[in-house]
Amino acid sequence: MESSPTSATPAPQPVRWHISEIDFSRIDIPRIRHNQDLFYLVTSASFIETGSDMYTRNLVRHYAAYPEVAEWLQQRWEPEELQHGLALRTYVETVWPEFAWQTAFDGFFAEYGAMCTDEELEDDRTLELVARCVVETGTTTYYETLRNLATEPVLADLANRIRTDEVQHYKYFFQYFRELQASQKLSRARIAAVLYKRLAEMRESDSDVALRHVWQHRPPLFREGNFEELSQRTYQLVSSSLPIEQVIRMLLKPMDLPKRVEKWVQPPLQKLGRRLLSA
């Protein structure tokens, strides 16, 4: 029997920054305009973040029995995700104004919406929080990678702001997981199964759908090549730059392993992660 999170759950806090704080007029456009890789990374991220309200509705319904979780999703998580999308969209439209952002997004959202169903969520609410930790691990490390790859200061600042938000999202989902797990006591085997399942799904995910719709409407500046080559190059660029040590640490936390065991398994998992990412 699942129980509600306790009063120890941190209450939603005001958003940490606002899009009005970013001066998009200061973007060094010549420095980034011809960077095809960053165009695809930033634009596909803007699609995913802008579409987060649909996924939020599903999660709010899923956690209707847990008012604190539902409140945090609606009052904190969704507004921050949508702000990420708006900020990234503004950046894209400032640097590449000829890109038909809304048209491309509409195509993405039609396909993405079909993927965002209640059936995609874990039936067990505690295990769905494990899945959320996997997703937030991916977004945290994605924006850290984007920040490190950024060749333009405003983009680096924006990626860092979003990364900071995603770290806090991970902490909230993990805290809620711990509170439910305290009474439910799911086995490590079940938790590991969800971790593995969600990791296996990450490459065949919304990011691939977003990338494809960006490519279909790409501006004339980036007309060369084919989608398969672009997809592989983008994947390799991100995966080769991911902070794998951080990824493994964040993924292991829901397992609640003894410290000595966690320390022992981290190095081989890091090696395995690097090997899988380079495949």
Side-chain angles (χ1 to χ4, degrees):
M1 181 73 177
E2 297 174 6
S3 61
S4 286
T6 70
S7 59
T9 304
Q13 300 295 315
V15 294
R16 282 169 289 274
W17 59 279
H18 191 271
I19 189 173
S20 61
E21 299 171 19
I22 301 173
D23 186 355
F24 291 97
S25 69
R26 298 187 64 184
I27 297 173
D28 187 350
I29 295 178
R31 194 170 184 176
I32 195 173
R33 178 160 167 78
H34 293 274
N35 192 317
Q36 181 173 219
D37 293 328
L38 287 176
F39 164 74
Y40 283 108
L41 291 175
V42 176
T43 308
S44 58
S46 75
F47 283 10
I48 296 167
E49 300 280 5
T50 303
S52 62
D53 55 342
M54 177 179 292
Y55 210 94
T56 305
R57 290 196 294 271
N58 295 347
L59 283 172
V60 168
R61 285 196 300 271
H62 202 53
Y63 288 96
Y66 308 101
E68 290 186 54
V69 179
E71 179 184 4
W72 178 78
L73 287 166
Q74 289 180 304
Q75 296 187 10
R76 184 62 179 269
W77 192 58
E78 181 180 20
E80 290 190 347
E81 296 291 295
L82 292 176
Q83 177 170 255
H84 298 167
L86 179 59
L88 292 166
R89 174 180 181 171
T90 304
Y91 189 94
V92 169
E93 293 184 325
T94 301
V95 179
W96 300 281
E98 70 277 27
F99 175 68
W101 191 97
Q102 188 64 55
T103 300
F105 174 77
D106 289 343
F108 159 77
F109 195 68
E111 183 174 352
Y112 176 66
M115 298 168 56
C116 291
T117 64
D118 291 343
E119 289 71 28
E120 294 297 310
L121 304 176
E122 299 292 330
D123 290 336
D124 187 291
R125 271 63 172 176
T126 306
L127 288 177
E128 178 56 32
L129 292 171
V130 175
R132 293 298 94 210
C133 286
V134 175
V135 172
E136 297 300 336
T137 296
T139 54
T140 295
T141 52
Y142 180 89
Y143 286 110
E144 181 168 343
T145 299
L146 181 59
R147 179 193 65 187
N148 294 337
L149 291 172
T151 57
E152 194 281 317
V154 175
L155 178 58
D157 175 55
L158 176 56
N160 189 58
R161 290 171 184 261
I162 298 176
R163 176 199 171 278
T164 301
D165 286 347
E166 301 295 356
V167 169
Q168 296 305 314
H169 297 170
Y170 173 93
K171 289 180 178 179
Y172 267 82
F173 282 123
F174 180 65
Q175 179 66 26
Y176 290 135
F177 160 76
R178 289 186 65 182
E179 293 183 13
L180 291 185
Q181 172 69 344
S183 60
Q184 198 170 354
K185 300 296 184 184
L186 294 174
S187 69
R188 289 193 178 106
R190 292 189 67 188
I191 294 170
V194 171
L195 289 171
Y196 179 82
K197 171 187 172 184
R198 292 307 176 114
L199 283 170
E201 292 173 349
M202 285 186 75
R203 192 168 181 185
E204 301 296 329
S205 64
D206 47 6
S207 59
D208 295 303
V209 178
L211 188 63
R212 178 157 36 79
H213 284 278
V214 174
W215 182 83
Q216 288 172 353
H217 295 273
R218 63 200 185 282
L221 189 64
F222 304 129
R223 286 294 181 183
E224 295 183 2
N226 59 63
F227 179 71
E228 289 71 23
E229 292 174 350
L230 165 70
S231 179
Q232 185 62 25
R233 188 180 72 248
T234 303
Y235 174 78
Q236 290 295 338
L237 176 63
V238 174
S239 61
S240 64
S241 305
L242 278 179
I244 192 66
E245 294 83 1
Q246 180 183 0
V247 171
I248 298 301
R249 285 198 305 271
M250 293 175 74
L251 291 176
L252 283 176
K253 286 178 75 67
M255 294 289 289
D256 193 26
L257 297 170
K259 291 296 182 184
R260 59 183 179 80
V261 175
E262 184 174 310
K263 186 176 180 180
W264 180 74
V265 300
Q266 278 186 8
L269 287 177
Q270 290 169 12
K271 287 183 180 179
L272 177 61
R274 290 191 185 96
R275 186 161 64 247
L276 292 174
L277 289 172
S278 63

